[in-house]
Structures are given as C-alpha cells and as structure tokens.
Amino acid sequence: MRSIINTRFALPPVAAVFSIACSATAPTTGPAPRAGPIVSSTAIRIVPAPGSMATNAGAPFTLTAGTAIVVDGGNAEVARTGELLAAILRPSTGFPIPVSTGGGLPDTSRIVLRLAPGGGLASLGAEGYELRVTRDSIRLAASQPAGLFRGIQTLRQLLPPAVESHMLVKAVWTVPAVTIIDQPRFAWRGAMLDVARHFFTVREVKQYIDLLALYKLNTLHLHLSDDQGWRIEIKSRPKLVTMGSVTQVGGGPGGYYTQAEYSELVRYAQDRYVTVIPEIDMPGHTNAALVGYPELSCSTRPTALYTGTDVGWSTFCVDNEDTYSLVDDIVRELAAITPGPYFHMGGDEVEALTDSAYAKFVGRVQTIVARHGKQMVGWEEIAKATLSPSTIVQQWRSDSIPAALRHGGRLVLSPSPRTYIDMKYSPSTELGLTWAGLIEVRDAYDWDPNTFVKGMGERAVVGIEAPLWSETLRNITAAQFLAMPRLPTLAEVAWTPQAERSWESFRLRLASQAPRWNYLGVNYYRSPQIPW
Ligand code: TNX
C-alpha cells in the first residue's frame, strides 16, 4: 500500500483502470474529463468522502461468475448484510454470488465480510470500517455489523454505476485496488420525512430509506402527525386515524400506517442500520387529532379537517388532564413498536399558548416519554421548558443556543437556510417553499456544524438532520427532486471530517453519482453548479 492520502488529492493511475473497465453503457454521458488539482474525472469518486483512502499497486479486483461473498465467522446479522450486497450485485452482473461461511470455496474472487470486535478496528466506532481491495479479494472489516453495512455502500460506489441496474448489463465489473479506512464525524446523520402534509406509502418510504442507506445516513425521523393528517394507527384511540387520516394538503385522500406497516418500515430501516424516530407533533399542529377528540381542544374554533398550509393555530388543551391520557396512550403504543431509543414530541410553532402553559405541557410530556423508556427529542422551542439532560433539542431557526441548554443539553442541527431541503433551489424551482431562502447545492454543502451555533462546542452537537416538509410534494418522485442532490450533500457534511471536505472535490464526486440515480430510477435536480 502506498501512503494514506486525503481524498481531496489526485489519485494515482490505478483509477484509470477503473474508468476503462467502467465501460457499461450508462443512460447519461458525463462531460469530457476535466483536468484539475483535485480529482480527475477518471478518479474514484465516493460520496460521502471517506476519511482516508490510498490506492494499492496492482490490478483491480474483477467480479466474475465465480465470485462469492464470505461471511467470516458465520454471524447471522452479517450474513443478512451479505445478502443485501448480493441482491445488488446479482441482477446487473447476472452472476450467482453465493453468500456463505466460506467452507469449500476457492481462495480467490472472494468478498470477505469480517466482524472484529476486539481488534484495532474498535477505534473506528460502531459505524467505521476498513476496506482492502486487491486483485484476489475484497476484505471488509469492522468492529460492529453497522460498520460492514456502511462499508458495503462504499464498495457499491467503487463498482461501475451500472451495478445499480435491475436488469442484466454487459460490463467488466472491476473494483479499483484501494485501501479505505473510514468512520463518521457525527453519530446522528438524519433525514426527516413529513408524511402528514402529504401521505407517502410504505413502498415510497422504503425508497427514501434506500437513499439514506446509500449515503450512510443512519436516522429516519418520521413526522407522523400534523394539522392536515394523522398517519399512525393508535389502537386504543381509533378515531385518530378513522377521522384524522382521511385527507391531506390540497384535499387528497391522505392515508395512515397500520402498526404492522409501521413495524415493517422499522424493520426495513433496521436492516440498513437506520433508526426510525417517530414524531407526534404537539401541543400545536394537532388539528387532525382534535377532529376525532374535540373535547381536548379548548379553543372555540370548530374542529374540522384542514387541507391548507397555515401553521401555529391549533393546540391541545394543556389544562385538561384527559389530554395527558391521550398523550400517554400514544407514547405507550408507539414506544412498544419502536426499537430505537427516541420519541420526538414536535413542540414547534405554538402560537395559541402562553410560554408558561407551553413549558408546563412539555414538562409533562417529557415525564410520560421517560416513563415509557424513551429519550425525548423536540424542536428547539422545547428549550422554553426545564429539560432533563438526556432530552435532545432539534435546532431549526436560531443561531445561538437557548439559555436552557447551557447546562449540558445536546443538539441536533437542522438550520433551515442550509438543511431544509423543502426549500426551492432557485426562483424557478417549481416545487418547494422559500421562507428560509433558496438553497442551492453549495449552500447545503459549505458550512461547518461545529461553528454554526454560537456558544456551542462540538461535543454538544449530536449531528445534523435534513427535514423534508411535504406541503408541495404529492409523491416520492417530487420528494426525490428536492432531496437529490441535497440529501447526499448533507450526508457528506455529517460524515466527512471538515478538513477532508472541499466543494471542488465534492461537485465532481456528486456529478458521478447521477448515472447511479438513473439506473435506480431516482429523480433529481440538475443543478447548474454540478458538472453532470
Ligand atoms: C416550519 S420547521 C415548520 C413546519 C413547516 C415547515 C415548512 C418546523 C419545526 N416547523 O411546520 O412544514 O416550516 O418549511
């Protein structure tokens, strides 16, 4: 192996071998190779950029009909990850790609997945991994199964884009001889999907999870309720869905997930090492809940279904004890079907309550959430209440920390002018909103989470999250248009150390992702900032 180099720097010639082998017909042709100090267009292009990468002398690895995935040690969880890799490789290559524990297989042409909890890999954390590619084998090792899954996403991106095809492609399937040692900068690398303003089906949410997985994101925050719709079955409170789920913004039919469907989504995410965080927004944004339970509203406003997009007007009655029994039922049922450690209580944009009534409500909900064994998360407004140190605050509009957090609270950052991927890219973008500004790809890329919030040290930042509010999004194709390419952009902000990031390198690497999206059938915005 040659010395470890930063991914920002040009790579030696082995990369050219990759480009020659990568001759499968992609549906779009890229621009002519560009010379430059960062990476040439024939270079290895991974998003998010790995912490370190070195090219090895020697020929690349070539996938053949004899290639097998070997699960070293036979761990069942790793075997499942091996099967997910095989499921990507089989349709496009046409090779059988067996997944086995290794007995009786030839020594060459192996993709070895190895779990090494005790060794030196532990310093790479739960999601770090080491990938070594030589002519004879691909060796992926990590201290935890999650690290192997992340490493497989890197391996995917080292293969020609046509590997993502669902149909057989004639190509030479090479992987350049590299050594990559990689681990994430932040532990919370999230995306939020608003399934309340417009409902997204289980199949559509799975497609969104697939994108998270490809770019090593690990948290899916589902905004499950809002004024326009209630989207999750609560068995002890049937009217939440029978009355509250039947419409959406603009008046379409809406919808909801049964608990079985929600569990299916959670499992699908879990298999990809993505934690689902359910959000039930309260005390505001609760009109859909109040349609079925109008006695919990203390306003005189008649509770009817709402299909507009105004915010701030609805609220639970916080002085009514019955409100807390409803909250208890909801949190109890959701906690029971959510293996992840968090419950998100929303808490944003409440204009119909005084600060002290609001703070009292947040305090009560925090107690309920803790009683059901979950850690509370809420939008930054919850810092008006007395929070327990384990509660996580999701920043979205302020750029200085609330006084309430100065004593050890932790933050997830979703600064709206950078991470709100429901904003338009430019004035002519047809979808999206504009209240937080226009967000081109570079705006989403060029910022440092550690210095964004004044007075907040790096240790207080748990990570970042990209919210996709769905007022203007009627289906997953529309959602993809706003998410792509800003979701992988924010994935790099969250994964790659600040010192290893550069816009000039990123825009070339991002451009090389588009042929993959074409094979995957993913819609995206052709930003003029990117040399597609
Ligand atoms: C603000 S950000 C909201 C949402 C809207 C979004 C639209 C936040 C916590 N609340 O209710 O959907 O703006 O961009």
Side-chain angles (χ1 to χ4, degrees):
M1 182 174 96
R2 298 188 202 159
S3 62
I4 300 285
I5 52 167
N6 285 344
T7 49
R8 285 193 282 166
F9 300 133
L11 292 161
V14 68
V17 176
F18 170 66
S19 78
I20 293 160
C22 175
S23 56
T25 330
T28 53
T29 48
R34 285 157 195 256
I38 308 300
V39 280
S40 77
S41 71
T42 54
I44 298 160
R45 292 175 162 184
I46 299 163
V47 175
S52 76
M53 174 164 69
T55 52
N56 301 327
F61 178 92
T62 305
L63 248 65
T64 66
T67 300
I69 296 172
V70 176
V71 178
D72 195 6
N75 178 293
E77 202 178 326
V78 176
R80 193 187 56 218
T81 294
E83 284 296 345
L84 288 177
L85 173 60
I88 293 166
L89 303 179
R90 285 172 191 147
S92 50
T93 64
F95 302 147
I97 320 272
V99 179
S100 76
T101 49
L105 287 172
D107 277 347
T108 55
S109 204
R110 290 177 172 215
I111 301 173
V112 182
L113 310 183
R114 187 169 59 92
L115 206 53
L121 292 169
S123 67
L124 295 177
E127 293 179 284
Y129 65 92
E130 203 181 277
L131 177 66
R132 293 178 188 275
V133 181
T134 64
R135 192 192 57 167
D136 292 336
S137 69
I138 294 177
R139 298 184 170 274
L140 179 60
S143 73
Q144 304 282 322
L148 295 174
F149 186 85
R150 303 294 174 238
I152 278 171
Q153 308 316 311
T154 300
L155 175 55
R156 270 171 93 172
Q157 294 190 26
L158 290 170
L159 278 154
V163 77
E164 307 293 347
S165 173
H166 302 303
M167 293 187 312
L168 191 65
V169 177
K170 218 166 144 9
V172 181
W173 303 105
T174 55
V175 181
V178 291
T179 295
I180 291 174
I181 299 170
D182 197 13
Q183 72 187 106
R185 177 181 182 188
F186 290 109
W188 180 310
R189 303 180 309 281
M192 188 213 81
L193 186 61
D194 173 7
V195 296
R197 268 55 174 275
H198 279 100
F199 182 65
F200 292 86
T201 63
V202 168
R203 191 186 140 94
E204 289 177 320
V205 177
K206 285 181 179 172
Q207 285 176 263
Y208 206 61
I209 294 170
D210 289 343
L211 292 178
L212 267 65
L214 177 56
Y215 294 106
K216 303 187 174 81
L217 293 168
N218 66 0
T219 305
L220 175 66
H221 164 184
L222 286 175
H223 184 76
L224 289 168
S225 68
D226 214 302
D227 289 322
Q228 300 84 350
W230 187 277
R231 308 299 180 203
I232 179 73
E233 173 190 29
I234 302 296
K235 293 183 175 166
S236 59
R237 300 290 186 150
K239 286 187 285 182
L240 289 171
V241 292
T242 56
M243 299 186 71
S245 78
V246 296
T247 194
Q248 58 186 4
V249 167
Y256 69 94
Y257 310 117
T258 63
Q259 292 198 0
E261 286 169 333
Y262 174 85
S263 297
E264 181 186 334
L265 278 177
V266 165
R267 257 195 320 275
Y268 188 86
Q270 231 176 359
D271 286 352
R272 288 151 184 81
Y273 299 91
V274 171
T275 301
V276 170
I277 301 182
E279 177 189 349
I280 297 298
D281 204 347
M282 55 187 146
H285 294 270
T286 40
N287 183 69
L290 291 169
V291 171
Y293 298 91
E295 63 278 14
L296 302 182
S297 160
C298 32
S299 84
T300 50
R301 191 187 166 105
T303 37
L305 293 168
Y306 178 68
T307 60
T309 59
D310 285 351
V311 296
W313 48 274
S314 59
T315 184
F316 280 149
C317 200
V318 300
D319 293 323
N320 184 344
E321 275 308 302
D322 293 343
T323 293
Y324 301 100
S325 358
L326 176 79
V327 172
D328 193 81
D329 286 342
I330 293 166
V331 178
R332 185 186 64 251
E333 289 197 31
L334 267 176
I337 55 174
T338 302
Y342 306 108
F343 177 89
H344 199 306
M345 68 150 290
D348 57 316
E349 298 176 318
V350 181
E351 286 160 23
L353 291 177
T354 62
D355 278 2
S356 75
Y358 172 85
K360 182 184 135 194
F361 177 83
V362 171
R364 290 283 301 267
V365 175
Q366 186 172 246
T367 309
I368 293 170
V369 171
R371 193 163 62 234
H372 294 296
K374 297 295 175 191
Q375 196 175 337
M376 194 168 87
V377 188
W379 296 106
E380 66 178 52
E381 288 92 327
I382 65 165
K384 289 178 191 162
T386 307
L387 299 179
S388 79
S390 67
T391 292
I392 291 179
V393 171
Q394 185 165 11
Q395 176 275 345
W396 64 281
R397 60 177 167 193
S398 64
D399 59 6
S400 62
I401 56 161
L405 285 186
R406 297 219 174 96
H407 304 288
R410 303 193 75 201
L411 280 185
V412 169
L413 299 182
S414 298
S416 46
R418 303 289 187 174
T419 68
Y420 267 43
I421 58 176
D422 63 316
M423 294 300 123
K424 291 179 186 292
Y425 295 95
S426 80
S428 60
T429 311
E430 282 179 33
L431 301 169
L433 304 175
T434 55
W435 68 265
L438 300 170
I439 307 180
E440 249 297 354
V441 181
R442 188 166 190 167
D443 302 311
Y445 190 79
D446 262 344
W447 63 290
D448 181 353
N450 283 345
T451 55
F452 187 86
V453 175
K454 293 179 197 72
M456 203 80 192
E458 170 142 18
R459 273 179 306 126
V461 179
V462 195
I464 73 168
E465 188 174 293
L468 183 51
W469 301 99
S470 64
E471 283 92 335
T472 67
L473 307 177
R474 282 201 249 161
N475 52 47
I476 195 69
T477 310
Q480 288 168 352
F481 185 78
L482 291 185
M484 305 298 281
R486 291 179 294 194
L487 194 67
T489 302
L490 290 157
E492 177 149 316
V493 176
W495 179 279
T496 308
Q498 193 71 17
E500 303 299 319
R501 295 209 284 122
S502 103
W503 168 250
E504 286 307 320
S505 157
F506 177 70
R507 59 197 286 275
L508 298 179
R509 286 182 289 107
L510 188 65
S512 73
Q513 300 294 307
R516 268 166 222 284
W517 304 337
N518 292 333
Y519 280 112
L520 288 167
V522 172
N523 191 20
Y524 63 98
Y525 163 64
R526 275 79 172 162
S527 165
Q529 297 182 332
I530 307 300
W532 303 109

